[in-house]
Each structure stands twice: as structure tokens, then as C-alpha cells.
């Protein structure tokens, strides 16, 4: 039977790791958090010394953001290592914890800042003579982070080169140039006719035969979605190119450029999977059938076509299958997948693009339920 003895203030649980742990948080996690918090003032001073141009407020903000990043992984590490000593890290456990954290990172967040933040943290504790482990362990941790960063840089450069060779990039670049400082796509005055025609031509449409009263052509939807995810902003019916994003899109091989090009390609895949941006049964069936074709292209293994046909309904399935195949050929044309005879395939470097597009549309339909 539980004792009814009143706890003294000393053991009330406020600031007491043992009491807090009993409520579901480990002693190691709490102690790691306390260690990070104890560093804040000195770390802010150190950041200000590294960047003299920072005001005290900017230094405090930068230090706070970096320590928040450190704290997220440090807490996980403390629980995995069963140790809250952040001045003597087990190399293997740290590597495993970092990999676990990166595996749960949203696709919209680049991992590079995490690595650079930890490298700065290691510089801080070295300069402040806080490191308690063997010097070679600190050097090994640094090398692990630097080698991974170099790998990211090589991957970023490769992705930039790969996507800039696609027809999709050429179309989005032309679209962004045509939109430039702003085009109102619903302004049908004589003065706006030439800018609108330039935008339509850039995405492969004939301005003379374009029907502004009808549904947007698929070619426009595909490039509009790719541009929206990367370099083109919209305010009502006005489209406008972000000049900073455009510079990153067309030049550079670093993380910022790779991320924009990735988002550009994801936007195009999304528009192919759900070209009408609607949630009808037919739209969802189109998504499911095209997703199945893309997964087959990626893995080489056919899905349960009969089960999919029953799930969609034979009539809807038979109607959307030809459209899904046309969408596959369109993705081939944009350079995001390949086709040899009747066989489709996806470059392994572009599989994350396809997967991200599928995930975005899947979430869209789930939220609509």
C-alpha cells in the first residue's frame, strides 16, 4: 500500500531529476537538458566573439537556436548512452543517435545545419577546455561530421546537375523568366495580352488557342505546381518570380540550390498525381493508379492490380488507367522517369523526389477525409 507520508519540499519533484523521471522522463535526459541550459550564457558570449558583427540580441538568438538543435540530439543521446555527460561522447552511440534523428527529420528540412551546429559546439567545448574524453575521440567525432557534410555536398552537386539537365528545369526556368516581376493571369486587357501570352508560351501552350474560360491545361498545371514549390509566388491571380530563389535555382551546387530543385521536381510529381487538385473519388483513383505505376517503376515489382481495380471500382479504374499511363509518359518527357519500350524505370537518385510527391498527395487525400 502506498505510503501517505507527506513529502518534504526538498523532494517535491521540482528540479529533482529522480522525481521527474518517475513521471516518464529519464534522469539522463533531464540532466542533459540541465547541462545544455547551464551553457547558454557562456555559449552566447562565445558566439558573439565568433561573429563580432552580431548585436547582443542576435548573438543570443543564434546561440539559442544552435543549443536547441544540440539539445534535441543530446537528449536522445543521453537516453541511448545512459549517460548525460555531453563532454565525453561515445562515438558509436552518437553516430547511431544522429542517424536516428535524421531518419525522423521532415523532408522539408535540410540536415546540413545540424552537422555544422555540432561542429561549432565541439569547437566551443574545445576552446573552453570542457572536453573530458580522449582528444582522439573529439577528433573522430569531427571527422565523422565533416565526412558526412562532404558527402551531402557531393550529393547536392549531383542532384543539381541531374535536375538541371531535365526538360522540367528548362520549362520552369522559362516560366519564371516570363513571369518576372509580375503577370496578372486574369487581366484580359489589351495591355496585359503580351505578358500573358509570354507565360503561356513558356509552358508550351499556344496563346492563340488557349481558352481562358476552360479548365487549366495539364501542361500549365504541371509547371505552375513546380514553379509554386520553388521560385514563383502568387498573390491572387498575380504570378511573380522570387529573384533570390531564381538565382539559387539556376546556379550553384550547394544545399539551397539542391533543395529548390528538389521541391521543383516534387511539385511537378504532385501535379501529375492530382492534376485537378480536387478530392473526388475519380481524383483519388487517378492518384492510386498512377502511384501504383510509379512504385512498379521504382521497385520493378507489380502491385495488386486486381485488388486496386476492385478498390477503385472497375468503371473508374478502367477510365483513369489510360490517363495514368499518359501521366507516366509526361513524367518521362519532363525527365523525371525513364522509359524503354513499355518498361518504365526511375533513376535511384530521383526516387526520393517521386516518394516525396506521393507522400504529399497521400497527405492531401487523408486530410480531406
Amino acid at each position: 500500500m502506498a505510503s501517505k507520508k507527506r513529502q518534504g519540499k526538498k523532494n517535491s519533484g521540482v528540479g529533482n531529476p529522480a522525481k521527474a523521471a518517475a513521471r516518464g522522463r529519464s534522469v539522463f535526459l533531464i540532466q542533459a537538458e540541465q547541462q545544455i541550459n547551464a551553457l547558454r550564457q557562456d555559449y552566447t558570449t562565445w558566439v558573439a566573439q565568433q561573429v563580432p558583427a552580431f548585436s547582443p540580441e542576435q548573438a543570443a538568438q543564434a546561440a539559442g537556436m544552435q543549443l536547441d538543435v544540440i539539445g534535441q540530439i543530446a537528449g536522445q543521446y543521453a537516453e541511448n548512452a545512459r549517460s548525460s555527460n555531453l563532454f565525453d561522447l561515445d562515438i558509436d552511440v552518437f553516430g547511431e543517435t544522429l542517424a536516428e534523428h535524421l531518419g525522423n527529420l521532415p523532408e522539408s528540412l535540410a540536415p546540413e545545419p545540424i552537422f555544422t551546429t555540432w561542429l561549432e559546439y565541439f569547437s566551443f567545448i574545445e576552446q573552453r577546455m570542457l572536453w573530458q574524453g580522449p582528444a582522439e575521440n573529439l577528433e573522430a567525432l569531427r571527422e565523422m561530421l565533416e565526412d558526412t557534410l562532404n558527402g551531402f555536398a557531393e550529393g547536392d552537386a549531383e542532384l543539381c546537375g541531374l535536375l538541371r539537365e531535365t526538360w522540367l528545369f528548362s520549362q520552369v526556368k522559362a516560366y519564371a523568366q516570363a513571369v518576372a516581376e509580375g503577370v496578372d493571369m486574369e487581366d484580359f486587357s489589351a495591355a496585359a495580352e503580351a505578358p500573358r501570352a509570354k507565360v503561356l508560351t513558356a509552358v508550351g501552350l499556344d496563346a492563340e488557342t488557349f481558352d481562358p474560360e476552360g479548365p487549366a491545361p495539364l501542361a500549365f498545371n504541371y509547371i505552375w505546381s513546380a514553379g509554386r514549390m520553388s521560385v514563383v509566388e502568387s498573390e491572387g491571380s498575380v504570378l511573380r518570380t522570387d529573384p533570390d530563389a531564381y538565382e539559387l535555382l539556376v546556379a550553384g551546387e550547394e544545399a539551397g540550390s539542391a533543395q529548390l530543385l528538389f521541391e521543383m521536381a516534387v511539385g511537378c510529381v504532385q501535379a501529375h498525381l492530382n492534376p485537378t487538385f480536387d478530392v473526388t473519388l475519380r481524383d483519388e483513383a487517378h492518384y492510386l493508379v498512377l502511384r501504383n505505376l510509379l512504385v512498379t517503376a521504382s521497385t520493378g515489382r507489380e502491385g495488386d492490380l486486381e485488388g486496386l481495380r476492385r478498390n477503385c471500382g472497375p468503371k473508374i479504374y478502367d477510365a483513369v488507367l489510360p490517363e495514368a499511363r499518359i501521366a507516366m509518359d509526361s513524367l518521362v518527357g519532363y525527365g523525371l522517369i525513364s522509359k524503354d519500350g513499355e518498361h518504365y524505370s526511375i533513376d535511384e537518385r530521383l526516387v526520393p523526389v517521386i516518394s516525396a510527391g506521393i507522400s504529399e498527395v497521400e497527405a492531401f487525400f487523408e486530410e480531406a477525409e
Side-chain angles (χ1 to χ4, degrees), residues 281-292:
L281 288 175
R282 198 180 195 286
D283 293 311
E284 188 167 9
H286 174 89
Y287 153 68
L288 291 170
V289 173
L290 181 53
R291 181 185 69 174
N292 180 75

Side-chain angles (χ1 to χ4, degrees), residues 160 164 169 231 242-258 260-261:
C160 288
R164 286 191 183 123
F169 171 74
V231 293
D242 179 333
D244 295 331
Y246 179 79
E247 287 302 315
L248 284 174
L249 189 82
V250 300
E253 296 182 341
E254 298 179 349
S257 294
L260 272 179
L261 287 159

Side-chain angles (χ1 to χ4, degrees), residues 140-313:
L141 286 164
R142 278 180 165 148
E143 287 181 2
M144 177 176 68
L145 295 173
E146 288 167 352
D147 288 348
T148 307
L149 271 176
N150 290 336
F152 282 140
E154 291 172 5
D156 289 338
E158 188 175 18
L159 183 64
C160 288
L162 184 65
L163 287 174
R164 286 191 183 123
E165 290 175 357
T166 64
W167 178 239
L168 172 63
F169 171 74
S170 298
Q171 290 274 273
V172 172
K173 181 181 177 181
Y175 171 57
Q177 290 172 340
V179 169
E181 296 179 2
V183 174
D184 188 341
M185 296 303 291
E186 292 184 2
D187 182 353
F188 301 108
S189 66
E193 186 176 334
R196 286 180 58 256
K198 189 176 180 181
V199 172
L200 294 172
T201 302
V203 298
L205 297 175
D206 184 349
E208 295 292 327
T209 59
F210 175 74
D211 179 9
E213 301 298 324
L218 291 178
F220 184 83
N221 281 350
Y222 297 154
I223 303 304
W224 175 84
S225 182
R228 175 181 65 92
M229 292 284 284
S230 53
V231 293
V232 176
E233 303 170 334
S234 61
E235 185 177 341
S237 59
V238 177
L239 302 174
R240 184 175 290 106
T241 297
D242 179 333
D244 295 331
Y246 179 79
E247 287 302 315
L248 284 174
L249 189 82
V250 300
E253 296 182 341
E254 298 179 349
S257 294
Q259 186 66 28
L260 272 179
L261 287 159
F262 180 89
E263 296 292 348
M264 171 195 77
V266 169
C268 184
V269 173
Q270 282 183 258
H272 279 78
L273 286 159
N274 186 11
T276 63
F277 301 97
D278 207 345
V279 292
T280 68
L281 288 175
R282 198 180 195 286
D283 293 311
E284 188 167 9
H286 174 89
Y287 153 68
L288 291 170
V289 173
L290 181 53
R291 181 185 69 174
N292 180 75
L293 294 175
L294 287 169
V295 170
T296 298
S298 175
T299 64
R301 299 189 301 272
E302 288 218 1
D304 180 7
L305 297 180
E306 284 305 312
L308 182 59
R309 190 168 185 267
R310 288 193 301 273
N311 185 36
C312 295

